[in-house]
Amino acid sequence: MARMPGAAWRPVVNTHKNGVLEHRGLVLHVQDGTNSPHGFFNNPAKPVSSDFWVSTAGRIEQYVETGVDYAFAQHLGNPYYASVETEGHPDTPLTAAQVEGVAHIYAWGNSTFGWPLHVVDSTTQPGLTWHGVGGDAWGGHPHCPGDKRKAQRGRIIARATEILALDTDGEPGIDLGRLIALTRSDPGAAQDHPTYPDGVRLVAGALHAEGLLDNINNDGHFGCLTITAYAAWQRRLGYEGAAADGVPDQPSLTKLGQRHGFMVTA
Ligand SMILES: [Zn+2]
């Protein structure tokens, strides 16, 4: 899976298809600017881009098929490491929301590609590294992302470790990406479409307890009745029109889990 659940998917033209050679980890960058760089990254006249961008408020945008296609972020390092741009400037630290956002990206990379949970100052070792360490071979950006942001990488890894531990300890976790995949699969294609019995059971049980779903069938599919019930749950939370489409999303599923004893994982 190359797209991260919870990130806004905004593909750009500045990408090298099927160019990734290894999944060594993530390179931390600073935007040295504000607002989404999507338009800039989608302009073929200037071949620059990144896998991810995290705003100061914690919004995550994803621009390329991470782990498959590479972005144009760190020159010779592109085929080996994914990249995250962080809104703001090299002389200011990441906001708490940005630390959280980058940690979620890293936790997803750990579960998806096996990015190891540690900080490195290297262009070859796997882990969370930084742009300037690559010198000219990585495009010659010695001040990216700046000392303050570099120093926050330990906190990012610690938080990513916590996020991953939450996924397996205590309350059961529901993988939002797997749930969404169920709702997208064609019910007519009976044989090999995906199932997720544990996740569906938790959600259906919670919807039943809310009085929104009469019968719980436990075939592991997120069927029409469940989608209808989930849309009713979204409307109860204030979602209107097309927003209440019955496809689980992070805020509504988190709310449901808080009331019924499960947590949402990436
Ligand atoms: Zn950079």
Side-chain angles (χ1 to χ4, degrees):
M1 176 132 84
R3 296 181 200 172
M4 178 188 158
W9 171 242
R10 304 190 71 193
V12 298
V13 296
N14 292 333
T15 175
H16 184 107
K17 297 288 177 197
N18 298 304
V20 167
L21 298 176
E22 288 181 31
H23 307 299
R24 288 184 190 162
L26 185 67
V27 178
L28 186 66
H29 295 257
V30 63
Q31 182 182 4
D32 205 7
T34 55
N35 297 319
S36 171
H38 178 267
F40 195 55
F41 290 174
N42 201 33
N43 177 3
K46 191 136 200 271
V48 292
S49 59
S50 61
D51 287 80
F52 296 98
W53 172 77
V54 181
S55 79
T56 51
R59 173 181 166 82
I60 302 172
E61 296 189 350
Q62 184 177 8
Y63 306 117
V64 310
E65 300 276 4
T66 299
V68 179
D69 306 336
Y70 68 68
F72 304 145
Q74 59 253 343
H75 198 41
L76 297 184
N78 290 335
Y80 303 99
Y81 293 88
S83 49
V84 57
E85 283 286 359
T86 52
E87 186 178 31
H89 301 278
D91 57 347
T92 58
L94 298 167
T95 65
Q98 279 178 308
V99 169
E100 183 72 11
V102 178
H104 274 274
I105 293 169
Y106 208 92
W108 173 76
N110 173 273
S111 354
T112 309
F113 306 115
W115 298 348
L117 292 161
H118 54 236
V119 169
V120 292
D121 297 297
S122 170
T123 61
T124 54
Q125 293 164 2
L128 177 58
T129 188
W130 55 287
H131 187 187
V133 76
D136 288 346
W138 278 23
H141 288 256
H143 305 298
C144 181
D147 288 344
K148 288 180 176 155
R149 291 175 190 231
K150 261 165 67 183
Q152 288 172 293
R153 288 175 299 150
R155 179 69 201 124
I156 290 166
I157 292 296
R159 180 61 190 135
T161 307
E162 267 174 30
I163 291 165
L164 290 159
L166 290 175
D167 288 0
T168 51
D169 292 337
E171 288 187 342
I174 291 188
D175 182 326
L176 179 58
R178 282 184 72 187
L179 267 195
I180 293 172
L182 293 184
T183 67
R184 286 193 186 132
S185 58
D186 173 11
Q191 289 312 316
D192 52 349
H193 79 204
T195 64
Y196 183 18
D198 292 350
V200 173
R201 188 178 61 243
L202 286 168
V203 174
L207 292 170
H208 180 70
E210 290 289 340
L212 297 169
L213 182 64
D214 290 339
N215 299 306
I216 303 176
N217 88 350
N218 204 4
D219 62 359
H221 299 299
F222 206 89
C224 296
L225 290 174
T226 317
I227 288 176
T228 303
Y230 200 90
W233 168 246
Q234 288 170 319
R235 283 192 297 273
R236 188 175 283 179
L237 296 178
Y239 289 49
E240 291 177 357
D245 59 3
V247 177
D249 61 290
Q250 185 95 37
S252 65
L253 191 61
T254 301
K255 236 343 138 12
L256 192 62
Q258 284 165 352
R259 288 169 58 93
H260 299 282
F262 60 83
M263 61 179 63
V264 182
T265 67

